[in-house]
Amino acid sequence: MAEPVRVVSKRFGIPDSHTLGVYLEHDGYVALEKALKSMQPADVIEEVKKSALRGRGGAGFPTGMKWSFVPKDSPKPKYIVCNADESEPGTFKDRALMENDPHSLIEGCLIAAYALGSHTCYIYIRGEYGWVQDGMDAAIREAYEKGYCGKNILGTDFSCDVYTHPGAGAYICGEETALLNSLEGKRGHPRIKPPFPAVEGLYGCPTVVNNVETLATVPWIVQHGGDAFRQLGTEKSGGTRLVSVCGHVNKPGVYEIPLGYPMKDLLEKECGGIRNGNKLKAVIPGGSSVPIITAEEAYSVKLDFESIGEVGSMLGSGGVIVMDETADIFESTFRLVHFYKHESCGWCTPCRDGSDWMEQLFDRIAIGGGRQEDLALITSLGKNIEGKSHCALADALVWPITSSMKKFPEDYQRAIERSRKLLHEPAAV
Amino acid sequence: MLTPEREKKIDELLTRYPSSRSALLPALWVAQEQYGWISLELQKYLAIRLGITPEQVREVVTFYSMYNERPVGKYHLQVCCTTPCMLMGSDDVIGYLEKKLDIRRGQTTADGLFTVSQVECLGSCGTAPMLQVNREKYDENLTYEKVDALVDRLRAQAEGGNG
Ligand SMILES: Cc1cc2nc3c(=O)[nH]c(=O)nc-3n(C[C@H](O)[C@H](O)[C@H](O)COP(=O)(O)O)c2cc1C
Ligand code: SF4
Ligand code: FES
């Protein structure tokens, strides 16, 4: 087999890959120059459409299509907002990208701005990534000094500013409209859609919100062409993408794979297999919000949007959480319920109160006093939350529960039995 | 209320956005860096500084979990315990810290040096278990020995007065 092509991670591992000098030695800002000097904005959008690039933040929306929703004739300023909030449990690829290759993100932002007629980009970075933001700021300073950012970029009449902006510890601010409110200095409550940000986003102006990896992929597409990128993946899921693998594998980490790559190969070749020679039990393939799949499904599934859909899950944010035979799926799901309850923004009742009640139910089963009927109660409570709330966080709470109850009923049954015993036996002190 | 360099930083932040309110989150970070927490007085000051209402500052401080509404220890040890970290033994790490420092999560040691908190996924799941001290670069792939060494280092740093 040929060496796999690396697109967004091609500079990972090169010494000082985060500096402008090294970036320039490895194709840096070549695509920006090409776009500014030999392409019309519409050509750039066309290439991105051709590439079949789909958003890497979670929803997988086609990027070129999103860009084409931005009105061309609007008199208002337009904004590019990069979503670097990366808070989905299991996901740590955007951090790797910003640490290793900050200039590729800056270049992606600038090309997007050129394509959409924007002159301001904000990179919204989760509050905990303080040093990552410092690194991005240093890279941005370098880019300004050498004329890649700011006024009359590369001697053209295109001007654009790039700024970073810190969050402060709220998972919900990864949701694009909550992020925009947060960027406006408000609480991170999601907005009602429509209007979509492309039409009415930051300060009521047309805004494109894209994930870090999505934007960092754009320079390669512009340099090599949309077709070249698409051919790296499958017909509907173009190109390559980053996955971050964690949990019970020998070599957790960030890997770039072509879409359509077998999960089995990812686990065995890239990640060196399951730790201690244990048996695989379950995989959450796209960040904590997507449905869990069994070992059998994991070993047969391919990592593209369609194939993973066939086993009832999603590629999501590319966070692959691996669990071996020692994992208790009731416990691992309980911890996620706690997460979503903690991160519910409190705006709407089904999610705010429902997540709290859900945690209480799981807690009762965990500490003793759980009843067989609680399983049905969890299911019915889930039905009253899913699809009945203001944003997708509520669905993200319910899917891990319903999928794990369906695929690992014995773990829930064991939890109930344990719970009844706990009630009748005095706890060991 | 802020040092001259920090005031300058806020001036610079205000040039980045068409609306001064947008500078609120970064400005709160600048303030918290100096004081370690965001008092009501500081909130009122920032409201005037940015030309917004105290309520607009307050609603933000109370929404975002990283702004401390009361003083915390000099070193805030934030241990991630979300599922990927849990799978790799984060509960043992936080339990070990609680025992070692003789406090429960959410509490601060009597000498004011350490606060231990349980936090949610920090984007470091591949190097679990892990924790973050204040807003520093993470401490990853933790073992009990590494936790011991970290606490020793922080204590020495505090005594040396260069923390
Ligand atoms: C609760 C919630 C959390 C999200 N968190 C993130 C995040 O941390 N990073 C991200 O890029 N997208 C996140 N998203 C998806 C964004 O809303 C949005 O779809 C994405 O940033 C669009 O960029 P893309 O098309 O390039 O993927 C989240 C969505 C929801 C509902
Ligand atoms: S579903 Fe949850 S997170 Fe989303 S708006 Fe409602 S309360 Fe907030
Ligand atoms: S779950 Fe702990 S860093 Fe992600």
Side-chain angles (χ1 to χ4, degrees), chain B:
Chain B
M1 291 190 72
L2 297 173
T3 61
E5 312 88 81
R6 292 197 169 86
E7 290 292 355
K8 238 173 88 189
K9 177 74 196 163
I10 291 182
D11 287 335
E12 191 270 319
L13 286 171
L14 284 166
T15 65
R16 298 180 167 203
Y17 313 94
S19 139
S20 65
R21 192 173 173 185
S22 272
L24 179 55
L25 270 77
L28 283 165
W29 275 119
V30 171
Q32 181 156 300
E33 235 173 62
Q34 180 170 336
Y35 290 95
W37 66 295
I38 309 280
S39 61
L40 276 176
E41 212 188 343
L42 203 46
Q43 292 176 32
K44 281 188 201 134
Y45 174 74
L46 284 175
I48 294 166
R49 187 74 169 80
L50 301 188
I52 58 180
T53 69
E55 292 75 17
Q56 288 172 333
V57 178
R58 179 132 190 83
E59 67 173 32
V60 162
V61 172
T62 53
F63 183 84
Y64 294 90
S65 65
M66 292 184 81
Y67 297 129
N68 301 319
E69 288 178 69
R70 55 194 70 80
V72 294
K74 187 175 171 72
Y75 301 112
H76 191 184
L77 309 178
Q78 300 153 100
V79 184
C80 171
C81 292
T82 311
T83 302
C85 277
M86 179 193 102
L87 292 170
M88 301 306 287
S90 60
D91 293 12
D92 294 337
V93 167
I94 197 167
Y96 183 74
L97 260 175
E98 287 176 322
K99 244 195 177 141
K100 185 176 172 71
L101 300 174
D102 198 18
I103 47 172
R104 300 294 298 268
R105 56 201 81 179
Q107 296 178 338
T108 303
T109 51
D111 58 8
L113 270 191
F114 297 103
T115 301
V116 173
S117 297
Q118 172 178 342
V119 298
E120 301 300 335
C121 181
L122 293 177
S124 186
C125 330
T127 41
M130 56 79 62
L131 64 77
Q132 180 171 35
V133 183
N134 299 341
R135 214 179 162 210
E136 300 298 308
K137 198 166 173 180
Y138 299 160
D139 290 278
E140 300 169 289
N141 294 312
L142 291 176
T143 57
Y144 293 155
E145 293 73 36
K146 278 197 187 171
V147 170
D148 288 340
L150 172 69
V151 170
D152 287 348
R153 181 170 66 73
L154 294 176
R155 280 207 173 110
Q157 196 173 309
E159 270 170 32
N162 56 357

Side-chain angles (χ1 to χ4, degrees), chain A residues 282-297:
Chain A
V283 175
I284 304 177
S288 63
S289 300
V290 309
I292 195 168
I293 61 176
T294 63
E296 205 172 81
E297 289 167 328

Side-chain angles (χ1 to χ4, degrees), chain A residues 171-172 175 178 188-191 340 343-353 355 385 388-395 397, chain B residues 63:
Chain A
Y171 168 68
I172 191 59
E175 196 283 333
H189 294 302
R191 300 174 179 173
Y340 289 106
E343 299 300 334
S344 167
C345 82
W347 183 257
C348 62
T349 311
C351 171
R352 181 191 57 238
D353 291 7
S355 62
I385 299 172
K388 295 189 169 62
S389 304
H390 184 54
C391 86
L393 184 141
D395 302 339
L397 159 75
Chain B
F63 183 84

Side-chain angles (χ1 to χ4, degrees), chain A residues 68-392:
Chain A
S68 64
F69 292 156
V70 173
K72 309 236 157 10
D73 44 7
S74 167
K76 295 179 183 168
K78 303 183 181 85
Y79 293 101
I80 305 294
V81 174
C82 170
N83 189 340
D85 193 52
E86 187 161 72
S87 319
E88 171 87 356
T91 316
F92 45 99
K93 66 185 177 72
D94 295 339
R95 171 184 159 200
L97 229 165
M98 291 187 283
E99 284 181 329
N100 285 289
D101 202 0
H103 283 283
S104 70
L105 174 56
I106 299 170
E107 188 174 1
C109 288
L110 293 168
I111 295 173
Y114 173 70
L116 296 160
S118 161
H119 303 288
T120 315
C121 310
Y122 295 108
I123 304 173
Y124 183 103
I125 306 179
R126 67 175 299 175
E128 294 86 346
Y129 285 176
W131 77 97
V132 179
Q133 189 185 1
D134 292 344
M136 282 303 311
D137 283 338
I140 291 170
R141 261 197 312 277
E142 264 189 306
Y144 268 96
E145 280 161 17
K146 295 280 152 48
Y148 294 103
C149 278
K151 290 228 160 19
N152 300 106
I153 295 174
L154 295 172
T156 66
D157 55 13
F158 173 64
S159 301
C160 187
D161 287 311
V162 180
Y163 304 106
T164 60
H165 183 96
Y171 168 68
I172 191 59
C173 289
E175 196 283 333
E176 54 185 10
T177 59
L179 185 151
L180 294 175
N181 277 337
S182 182
L183 194 45
E184 290 179 7
K186 303 171 185 161
R187 288 185 153 211
H189 294 302
R191 300 174 179 173
I192 290 175
K193 294 191 266 190
F196 288 93
V199 180
E200 231 177 88
L202 190 61
Y203 312 118
C205 300
T207 304
V208 159
V209 183
N210 271 136
N211 172 259
V212 172
E213 185 188 345
T214 313
L215 288 168
T217 305
V218 168
W220 196 96
I221 293 172
V222 168
Q223 189 186 349
H224 300 273
D227 287 327
F229 183 74
R230 200 191 64 241
Q231 281 156 17
L232 299 174
T234 65
E235 183 58 31
K236 284 193 187 139
S237 308
T240 62
R241 75 173 293 167
L242 295 178
V243 289
S244 57
V245 189
C246 66
H248 298 151
V249 289
N250 282 316
K251 285 192 285 175
V254 177
Y255 301 98
E256 181 164 359
I257 52 149
L259 282 156
Y261 193 68
M263 171 84 86
K264 186 170 199 297
D265 289 354
L266 175 67
L267 296 181
E268 287 176 356
K269 291 187 185 146
E270 273 75 13
C271 300
I274 308 303
R275 64 161 189 190
N276 307 332
N278 284 359
K279 260 174 55 191
L280 179 66
K281 177 166 183 176
V283 175
I284 304 177
S288 63
S289 300
V290 309
I292 195 168
I293 61 176
T294 63
E296 205 172 81
E297 289 167 328
Y299 280 138
S300 68
V301 79
K302 291 195 170 74
L303 288 155
D304 61 67
F305 291 93
E306 292 71 33
S307 170
I308 208 128
E310 282 163 21
V311 294
S313 192
M314 292 178 281
L315 283 189
S317 64
V320 180
I321 307 169
V322 182
M323 296 182 234
D324 71 12
E325 55 192 317
T326 65
D328 178 325
I329 305 297
F330 171 81
E331 292 290 338
S332 65
T333 311
F334 179 20
R335 198 56 65 90
L336 287 183
V337 171
H338 171 75
F339 171 81
Y340 289 106
K341 187 236 144 189
H342 186 262
E343 299 300 334
S344 167
C345 82
W347 183 257
C348 62
T349 311
C351 171
R352 181 191 57 238
D353 291 7
S355 62
D356 189 44
W357 190 12
M358 191 65 93
E359 191 187 22
Q360 289 178 34
L361 284 172
F362 272 79
D363 194 44
R364 180 164 76 194
I365 297 175
I367 64 173
R371 301 163 305 178
Q372 190 67 39
E373 307 88 88
D374 285 345
L375 297 182
L377 190 54
I378 288 174
T379 309
S380 101
L381 177 58
K383 282 202 183 111
N384 285 308
I385 299 172
E386 185 189 354
K388 295 189 169 62
S389 304
H390 184 54
C391 86

